[in-house]
Amino acid sequence: MEWEAIEARLNALLEAGRHGEMRGAMMMLNVVDIAQYMEKLDKEKLLLVFRILPKDISSDVFTYMSPEQKQLLIESIGDQEISTLIDNMFLDDAVDFLEELPAGVVRRVLQSAPVEKRNLINQFLRYPENSAGSIMTIEYLEFHTGTTVEKAMEIIRKVGLDKETIYTLYIIDEARRLVGTLALRKMILAPQDALLDDLMNKNPVSVCTTDDQEKVADTVRRYDVMAIPVVDKENRLVGIITADDVMDVIEDENTEDIEKMAALTPSEDEYLRTSPFRLFLNRIPWLLLLAVVAIFTGMIIENYEGLLKNASVVLTACIPMLMDAGGNCGAQASTLMIRGLALGEIQLRDIFKILWKEFRVGLLVGLALFLFTLARVLVVNQASFLVALVVASSLYLTVIIAKLIGCSLPLLAKRVGLDPALMASPLITTLVDATSLMIYFNIATLVLRL
Amino acid sequence: MEWEAIEARLNALLEAGRHGEMRGAMMMLNVVDIAQYMEKLDKEKLLLVFRILPKDISSDVFTYMSPEQKQLLIESIGDQEISTLIDNMFLDDAVDFLEELPAGVVRRVLQSAPVEKRNLINQFLRYPENSAGSIMTIEYLEFHTGTTVEKAMEIIRKVGLDKETIYTLYIIDEARRLVGTLALRKMILAPQDALLDDLMNKNPVSVCTTDDQEKVADTVRRYDVMAIPVVDKENRLVGIITADDVMDVIEDENTEDIEKMAALTPSEDEYLRTSPFRLFLNRIPWLLLLAVVAIFTGMIIENYEGLLKNASVVLTACIPMLMDAGGNCGAQASTLMIRGLALGEIQLRDIFKILWKEFRVGLLVGLALFLFTLARVLVVNQASFLVALVVASSLYLTVIIAKLIGCSLPLLAKRVGLDPALMASPLITTLVDATSLMIYFNIATLVLRL
């Protein structure tokens, strides 16, 4: 059934007040889809549908609602309902939710939350933003060394297994230090009296609470694991991070890189939810900085006033083409560097290999553009062969230099501890502009003797 | 211990011919790290280390080696060893591996593979590139409707559980159609005589073999699942895709978008493994296309030859600044659109909301750049107020139009079925160039009456 049809059917049941059937219909849907359906409801209907929802999935549905709808709902329900809601949410989801709310609402939610959960949430809210600690969850299975398979199975049957546990058992010593991990599948197949210590992987990959989420994502991707344990400075186990949360981290980090590459201040808010003034603030710093750099490009042109006034207008007409081609060539090289560095495919020590490769690519790309431009200036602009040669050979040199600037700046940024993504198209373009004009005017003066 | 120290110790053991200790040392490492260690070995040592490796992890280590080392190893070992290797690999890894090899080597590997595995691999190699079918695995647990928990547990104990199964049971009917999924944790806690049919989730999310991997990634992210079943056109279960493979898909799709946004033909090869000529081919098509578009920009300038010759050189000196600022403003807007569309945060129907928002952002950004440029032309270039006004107000108008072009082109591309990522900086810049020069020269002619 199409989504529009599902929506229409649910709306009809809601309008007709057939709440029992409505509950039955929703039980057939995924919680993510129910949350999407509730996105368009007004405050009154939202509350009604939330109360119609089967109790065992209402916290799950709540987790997938938008910040706006969550807040709307929180404002409508009683403290007891908030308490139950928070208690049934996974800790990491509850923390995410609170980070999105205004301070006043957070206070009310925390006051209503059960004491134990409240203390945990407060502790989690203190981890630095985007650290492993801030995205981990505490829903995992831990056992002390010396536990038998039989005993472990008994405990699992008692506490049950949550969605987030991902079937990995974490084994800790008497000081709560992580000493091993064990896949549930291995335990199921082992004899009842075996010790977990003998079955476990004694070299578990882990991350630290203060590690940046980018490092978490890199580690999970590198070792192909479905969940990774999080330890504190003393190697004590404090949480786990599951693959589904890592996927969101990967998308966030990619968005951040892409935004930086377009001279935007990265923002965690969705575009449609961001005010024009906020968007203005995200965009203007880089634009102003680049405008300052462009002053020098202007100075170069002013410096060659005589050349431009006396020579054919074709020289001026080719400035945009020269600048664009240089900028694009530099951007291509810098993009490949930025991406390669982000994925760990390129290391700083490769720099000479890279410069040599880009030089050869520049020779090829430059030659193709040289021939094209020579023909273009002769045919389209009807200029003399000497002028065409000036334009085309300036372009050739510009392409090679643009490739070298484009590939070295991201590596240089990485070397001095800056984010390579900052060395993308806008900055490269502006730098290459100045270089290409210098080359252009010098060649023109030399060849045309103006 | 630092990685360099580990490497040195392994090398020392290898040199000394202490193979037993070498095996013991490697057993303490993660298979991913062992593969990294083997990356630098020459053919002879590679073969030696591979044979020293404990047999139960050698296929795993092989999976994580680079295509070059894999091929080197395949060329050194006998058919029987190849057969064992392939047999112990997960099917999806074996298929990936074969897709990277030259045709001659593929034939030899397939001839050596066990018959059953060979047929499966051949079938997988026929799925379209980047389709769900090409990345799925067949290592999953399936049960027919009517199976009891007791019977299911018995089967699981017999066949064991693989790393890739991820503890979800798939339930099929007599025609092999997928009718439900069941988490192992739910089954462990259920009574022995319960039927899987009564415990299972009857609305499993699934993808089709022919779906693009991008759709697979979107679905997995949307529903926060750790593995997703793959069905054929008749809804028959044929495989599953696990979250760790989806992470690689997400990174691949992001790389593809980023490369397209920098006017590069997307490539699946790592930069350092790509030849200069191949890089040249990836870059030249867009550069030539953009050079053609730039012909028009040149024509506009030639058209206003008189204006440029008679007016202050400041007018010419400001062309690069005007073009860069316009290009950057357009790129900022288009980047947010491209990313928003990729993440599903922006829909086509939002276009008027977006245009209105970008118009307001343009007013603010334009105002800031207007004031900066007015001051810059007056102070730095010592130009008259009228000239400064011409430059600054042209910039203001350019910024607003660049924002509107930048946000509408990706949406337009999406509308007509093109990839929005193509409408990024390079194309936007070249289009905005022409527009900004038109605006500039018209305002100059009007105000300065030249």
Side-chain angles (χ1 to χ4, degrees):
Chain A
M1 195 157 39
E2 285 299 310
W3 176 248
E4 279 73 22
I6 295 176
E7 234 176 349
R9 185 160 304 188
L10 289 176
N11 279 332
L13 288 173
L14 189 63
E15 291 296 337
R18 288 151 75 176
H19 298 168
E21 286 160 77
M22 175 96 184
R23 181 181 299 123
M26 288 195 291
M27 283 163 70
M28 298 306 289
L29 295 176
N30 189 295
V31 290
V32 180
D33 294 326
I34 301 178
Q36 185 185 325
Y37 167 69
M38 291 171 72
E39 214 43 46
K40 288 192 197 149
L41 301 178
D42 60 28
K43 195 167 179 166
E44 205 177 321
K45 282 196 181 143
L46 179 68
L47 183 61
L48 182 60
V49 172
F50 187 72
R51 291 201 166 133
I52 293 174
L53 272 178
K55 282 290 148 286
D56 57 327
I57 63 165
S58 58
S59 290
D60 258 8
V61 172
F62 184 78
T63 296
Y64 288 104
M65 281 162 48
S66 71
E68 290 78 12
Q69 292 294 84
K70 280 178 183 164
Q71 196 178 333
L72 212 58
L73 195 64
I74 287 291
E75 286 164 2
S76 330
I77 63 179
D79 289 353
Q80 186 52 46
E81 274 176 298
I82 294 182
S83 173
T84 314
L85 195 61
I86 296 291
D87 207 24
N88 288 332
M89 280 170 84
F90 288 116
L91 187 63
D92 55 340
D93 292 332
V95 171
D96 283 352
F97 154 56
L98 287 173
E99 279 171 342
E100 287 162 349
L101 286 182
V105 187
V106 171
R107 205 170 317 121
R108 179 164 168 242
V109 172
L110 279 178
Q111 275 164 359
S112 315
V115 182
E116 204 180 326
K117 196 93 172 198
R118 181 165 66 220
N119 291 340
L120 276 170
I121 289 175
N122 270 320
Q123 182 194 325
F124 268 60
L125 287 174
R126 278 197 302 272
Y127 286 111
E129 205 183 348
N130 295 333
S131 67
S134 73
I135 56 168
M136 71 186 181
T137 182
I138 52 155
E139 278 85 10
Y140 61 90
L141 291 171
E142 61 175 30
F143 298 92
H144 280 278
T145 45
T147 312
T148 62
V149 167
E150 190 178 8
K151 179 75 185 159
M153 279 304 282
E154 194 188 313
I155 294 173
I156 290 173
R157 288 219 179 78
K158 207 180 296 160
V159 301
L161 287 170
D162 265 327
K163 173 190 155 211
E164 305 250 316
T165 23
I166 315 303
Y167 308 94
T168 302
L169 282 47
Y170 299 92
I171 293 99
I172 53 177
D173 65 12
E174 63 290 339
R176 297 196 47 78
R177 282 187 299 252
L178 179 69
V179 291
T181 56
L182 175 58
L184 180 65
R185 68 186 148 88
K186 271 186 82 173
M187 193 180 75
I188 288 185
L189 305 176
Q192 293 288 303
D193 57 348
L195 288 179
L196 300 189
D197 319 34
D198 299 327
L199 302 169
M200 72 186 184
N201 162 21
K202 294 193 176 65
N203 279 290
V205 179
S206 66
V207 292
C208 182
T209 46
T210 52
D211 284 344
D212 189 82
Q213 60 175 9
E214 197 167 356
K215 194 189 160 192
V216 176
D218 288 346
T219 311
V220 169
R221 278 212 324 130
R222 176 173 166 86
Y223 293 103
D224 260 358
V225 289
M226 302 300 289
I228 195 161
V230 184
V231 297
D232 65 13
K233 298 267 182 230
E234 280 78 45
N235 199 30
R236 286 182 302 234
L237 181 64
V238 289
I240 65 165
I241 298 170
T242 51
D244 53 334
D245 291 326
V246 171
M247 266 182 237
D248 294 336
V249 170
I250 290 177
E251 285 291 22
D252 284 353
E253 295 290 331
N254 278 314
T255 301
E256 201 184 303
D257 269 9
I258 290 174
E259 288 179 351
K260 279 188 191 156
M261 288 170 78
L264 288 158
T265 311
S267 150
E268 298 204 350
D269 298 318
E270 286 188 19
Y271 174 80
L272 292 174
R273 296 213 176 102
T274 313
S275 73
F277 187 67
R278 185 72 247 168
L279 288 171
F280 160 71
L281 290 180
N282 289 346
R283 297 183 193 185
I284 199 67
W286 270 100
L287 290 176
L288 281 177
L289 179 68
L290 292 169
V292 171
V293 179
I295 292 178
F296 297 100
T297 326
M299 284 178 170
I300 294 170
I301 292 185
E302 275 193 299
N303 210 28
Y304 287 90
E305 175 170 6
L307 173 73
L308 290 173
K309 290 243 167 180
N310 296 326
S312 150
V313 70
V314 174
L315 277 196
T316 315
C318 286
I319 289 181
M321 183 274 298
L322 195 72
M323 285 170 44
D324 282 346
N328 289 334
C329 285
Q332 289 180 330
S334 74
T335 299
L336 287 176
M337 292 307 115
I338 293 167
R339 193 63 188 157
L341 287 168
L343 294 179
E345 294 173 355
I346 288 175
Q347 312 295 329
L348 281 180
R349 61 166 179 271
D350 300 321
I351 182 150
F352 294 109
K353 226 184 299 174
I354 290 167
L355 281 171
W356 171 230
K357 184 171 274 189
E358 282 302 316
F359 177 69
R360 284 176 294 164
V361 178
L363 284 180
L364 290 168
V365 168
L367 182 63
L369 290 179
F370 172 86
L371 294 174
F372 173 84
T373 305
L374 204 62
R376 173 224 145 141
V377 178
L378 285 174
V379 176
V380 180
N381 304 82
Q382 305 272 326
S384 71
F385 183 76
L386 221 54
V387 169
L389 195 66
V390 166
V391 176
S393 50
S394 301
L395 182 61
Y396 203 150
L397 216 59
T398 297
V399 167
I400 294 178
I401 293 179
K403 292 283 178 208
L404 297 180
I405 293 181
C407 75
S408 39
L409 281 192
L411 291 164
L412 206 71
K414 176 92 179 177
R415 182 72 190 74
V416 299
L418 282 173
D419 188 334
L422 295 175
M423 302 296 152
S425 172
L427 189 63
I428 300 272
T429 301
T430 311
L431 290 177
V432 169
D433 280 355
T435 321
S436 61
L437 287 176
M438 290 287 288
I439 294 172
Y440 190 35
F441 292 143
N442 274 305
I443 292 185
T445 313
L446 208 73
V447 176
L448 306 178
R449 301 187 202 289
L450 289 166
Chain B
M1 195 157 38
E2 285 299 310
W3 176 248
E4 279 73 23
I6 296 176
E7 236 178 348
R9 184 159 305 189
L10 290 176
N11 279 333
L13 289 173
L14 189 63
E15 291 296 336
R18 289 150 75 175
H19 297 169
E21 287 161 76
M22 176 95 184
R23 182 181 298 123
M26 287 196 291
M27 282 163 71
M28 299 305 289
L29 296 176
N30 189 295
V31 290
V32 181
D33 295 325
I34 301 177
Q36 186 185 324
Y37 167 70
M38 293 171 71
E39 214 44 45
K40 288 190 198 151
L41 302 177
D42 60 28
K43 195 166 179 165
E44 204 177 321
K45 283 196 180 143
L46 179 69
L47 182 61
L48 182 60
V49 173
F50 187 73
R51 291 199 166 134
I52 293 173
L53 271 179
K55 282 292 149 286
D56 56 329
I57 62 167
S58 58
S59 290
D60 258 7
V61 172
F62 184 78
T63 297
Y64 288 104
M65 282 163 44
S66 70
E68 289 78 11
Q69 292 294 85
K70 279 178 183 164
Q71 196 179 331
L72 213 57
L73 195 64
I74 286 292
E75 287 163 2
S76 331
I77 64 180
D79 289 352
Q80 185 52 45
E81 275 176 298
I82 293 182
S83 173
T84 314
L85 195 62
I86 295 291
D87 206 23
N88 287 331
M89 281 170 84
F90 287 116
L91 186 64
D92 55 342
D93 294 330
V95 172
D96 284 352
F97 154 58
L98 288 173
E99 279 171 342
E100 288 161 347
L101 287 181
V105 187
V106 170
R107 205 170 317 120
R108 178 165 168 242
V109 172
L110 279 179
Q111 275 164 0
S112 315
V115 181
E116 204 180 328
K117 197 95 171 194
R118 180 167 66 220
N119 292 338
L120 275 171
I121 290 175
N122 270 322
Q123 182 192 327
F124 269 59
L125 288 173
R126 276 198 302 271
Y127 285 112
E129 205 183 350
N130 296 332
S131 67
S134 74
I135 56 168
M136 70 185 182
T137 180
I138 52 152
E139 277 85 11
Y140 61 89
L141 292 170
E142 60 175 29
F143 297 94
H144 280 278
T145 45
T147 313
T148 63
V149 168
E150 191 178 6
K151 179 74 186 161
M153 279 304 283
E154 194 187 313
I155 295 174
I156 290 174
R157 288 219 180 78
K158 204 178 297 162
V159 300
L161 287 171
D162 265 325
K163 177 190 154 213
E164 304 250 318
T165 23
I166 316 303
Y167 307 96
T168 302
L169 282 48
Y170 300 91
I171 293 99
I172 52 177
D173 64 13
E174 63 290 339
R176 295 196 50 78
R177 282 186 300 250
L178 178 69
V179 291
T181 57
L182 175 59
L184 179 65
R185 68 184 149 88
K186 272 187 82 174
M187 194 180 74
I188 288 183
L189 305 175
Q192 294 287 305
D193 58 346
L195 287 178
L196 301 189
D197 319 34
D198 298 327
L199 301 169
M200 72 185 185
N201 162 21
K202 294 192 178 67
N203 279 290
V205 179
S206 65
V207 291
C208 182
T209 44
T210 51
D211 283 343
D212 189 82
Q213 60 176 7
E214 196 167 356
K215 195 192 162 189
V216 176
D218 288 346
T219 311
V220 169
R221 279 212 324 127
R222 175 174 166 88
Y223 293 103
D224 260 0
V225 289
M226 303 299 289
I228 195 161
V230 184
V231 295
D232 65 12
K233 298 266 182 233
E234 279 80 42
N235 199 32
R236 287 182 302 234
L237 181 65
V238 289
I240 65 166
I241 298 169
T242 53
D244 53 332
D245 292 326
V246 171
M247 266 183 240
D248 295 336
V249 170
I250 290 178
E251 286 292 22
D252 284 353
E253 294 290 331
N254 279 314
T255 302
E256 200 184 303
D257 268 9
I258 290 174
E259 288 179 351
K260 278 189 192 159
M261 289 170 75
L264 289 157
T265 310
S267 148
E268 299 204 351
D269 298 319
E270 286 189 18
Y271 174 81
L272 291 174
R273 297 213 176 102
T274 313
S275 73
F277 186 68
R278 184 71 246 170
L279 288 172
F280 159 73
L281 290 180
N282 290 344
R283 297 181 194 185
I284 199 67
W286 270 98
L287 291 175
L288 280 177
L289 179 68
L290 292 170
V292 171
V293 179
I295 293 178
F296 297 99
T297 327
M299 284 178 171
I300 296 171
I301 293 184
E302 276 194 297
N303 210 27
Y304 286 90
E305 176 170 6
L307 173 73
L308 289 173
K309 291 243 166 177
N310 296 325
S312 149
V313 70
V314 174
L315 277 196
T316 313
C318 286
I319 289 181
M321 185 274 298
L322 195 72
M323 283 170 44
D324 281 346
N328 289 333
C329 285
Q332 289 180 330
S334 74
T335 299
L336 288 177
M337 292 306 114
I338 293 166
R339 193 64 187 156
L341 286 168
L343 295 178
E345 294 172 355
I346 287 174
Q347 312 296 329
L348 281 181
R349 61 166 179 271
D350 299 321
I351 182 148
F352 294 110
K353 227 185 295 175
I354 291 168
L355 282 170
W356 172 230
K357 184 172 272 188
E358 283 302 316
F359 177 69
R360 283 176 296 164
V361 178
L363 284 180
L364 290 168
V365 168
L367 182 63
L369 289 178
F370 173 86
L371 294 173
F372 173 85
T373 304
L374 204 61
R376 173 225 146 140
V377 177
L378 286 174
V379 177
V380 180
N381 304 82
Q382 305 271 325
S384 71
F385 183 76
L386 220 53
V387 167
L389 196 67
V390 165
V391 176
S393 49
S394 300
L395 181 61
Y396 204 151
L397 216 59
T398 297
V399 167
I400 294 179
I401 292 178
K403 291 284 178 205
L404 297 180
I405 293 181
C407 74
S408 38
L409 281 192
L411 291 165
L412 205 71
K414 176 91 178 177
R415 182 70 189 77
V416 299
L418 283 172
D419 188 335
L422 296 174
M423 302 294 152
S425 174
L427 189 63
I428 299 273
T429 302
T430 311
L431 289 178
V432 169
D433 280 355
T435 322
S436 62
L437 287 175
M438 290 289 288
I439 295 172
Y440 190 35
F441 292 143
N442 274 305
I443 291 186
T445 313
L446 208 72
V447 176
L448 305 177
R449 297 186 205 289
L450 289 165

